[in-house]
Amino acid sequence: NSQLRGLRVFFKFCAERDYIEGISIKLLKDDAELKEPYTDAELRKLLARPKSNRWAEYRSWAMINYLVATGNRARTIVNIKISDINFDENTIHLRAMKNRHQQFIPLSPALKEVLEEYLSAWKWEFDDYLFPTYTGEQANFDTSCVEVTSTQLASFENISEKSDSPSSCQRAKRQKGRS
């Protein structure tokens, strides 16, 4: 369908300039596949605390727990700062949403515990990103996906196989496999 969309734009461009007559291209309709839910064992493996104390693995563990607990988009997650989390009121302030609206979401007790443990493991400033790069800068969306998939590969591959469509994480994972 993405290729058909590109062709529609091109043909519309040509028709507007009277190079050709207008052509109607309809997108293909596909039946949505029913996705298989995760088993309890898969969820336990996915959310398990890392066995080592390497910072990247700890960050990936916290990020996966955050993803599962909130359902936020990855682009929203890489924009969250520590100052956006209010541990006293149990809320998370989302500033960078797809629809460009800000909103507050609840911070569950389980996620609060994970984030408190994660934050206790490294030195941070109040205005730092919650899931920064190793150098403390804002993570790149595709880079974060690759780091999570490589760190938690055995469990995170289940997400890639069960997701709805080829996401940016999956594309980044495939590109990493080619290099």
Side-chain angles (χ1 to χ4, degrees), residues 11 14 30 52 69 72-73 79 90 93 123 127 136 143 150 154 166:
F11 288 140
C14 291
D30 221 3
S52 77
N72 289 147
R73 294 174 179 270
N79 284 294
N90 296 320
H93 186 186
K123 294 180 184 176
D127 206 35
T143 303
S150 64

Side-chain angles (χ1 to χ4, degrees), residues 26-174:
K26 295 189 180 201
L27 299 178
L28 304 174
K29 292 191 178 186
D30 221 3
D31 291 337
E33 273 186 47
L34 182 61
K35 301 300 174 188
E36 187 180 326
Y38 295 110
T39 65
D40 288 343
E42 288 173 326
L43 285 173
R44 276 192 298 279
K45 190 174 184 183
L46 183 67
L47 301 173
R49 182 176 282 105
K51 292 180 178 145
S52 77
N53 59 357
R54 291 181 41 217
W55 180 80
E57 288 185 27
Y58 232 68
R59 181 195 53 201
S60 296
W61 166 70
M63 190 182 293
I64 289 171
N65 274 272
Y66 184 94
L67 281 164
V68 170
T70 64
N72 289 147
R73 294 174 179 270
R75 290 198 192 278
T76 300
I77 292 170
V78 297
N79 284 294
I80 296 173
K81 294 190 173 190
I82 296 170
S83 59
D84 293 331
I85 300 175
N86 187 330
F87 289 101
D88 296 330
E89 295 182 18
N90 296 320
T91 59
I92 302 170
H93 186 186
L94 303 176
R95 299 174 190 275
M97 303 278 293
K98 180 180 179 181
N99 63 7
R100 303 200 193 304
H101 293 104
Q102 296 185 22
Q103 77 179 64
F104 287 91
I105 62 171
L107 175 63
S108 70
L111 180 59
K112 181 178 181 178
E113 185 179 319
V114 167
L115 292 178
E116 285 175 336
E117 183 176 338
Y118 163 67
L119 291 173
S120 70
W122 58 285
K123 294 180 184 176
W124 50 270
E125 300 292 325
F126 191 63
D127 206 35
D128 287 343
Y129 288 99
L130 182 61
F131 302 113
T133 63
Y134 185 71
T135 60
E137 297 175 22
Q138 181 180 16
N140 174 298
F141 169 70
D142 290 333
T143 303
S144 294
C145 293
V146 170
E147 287 171 357
V148 169
T149 56
S150 64
T151 303
Q152 303 280 345
L153 190 59
S155 57
F156 199 73
E157 278 181 343
N158 292 327
I159 288 178
S160 299
E161 291 169 8
K162 293 182 180 186
S163 66
D164 290 340
S165 64
S167 66
S168 296
C169 282
Q170 289 171 304
R171 285 191 297 275
K173 188 171 130 181
R174 282 195 297 266

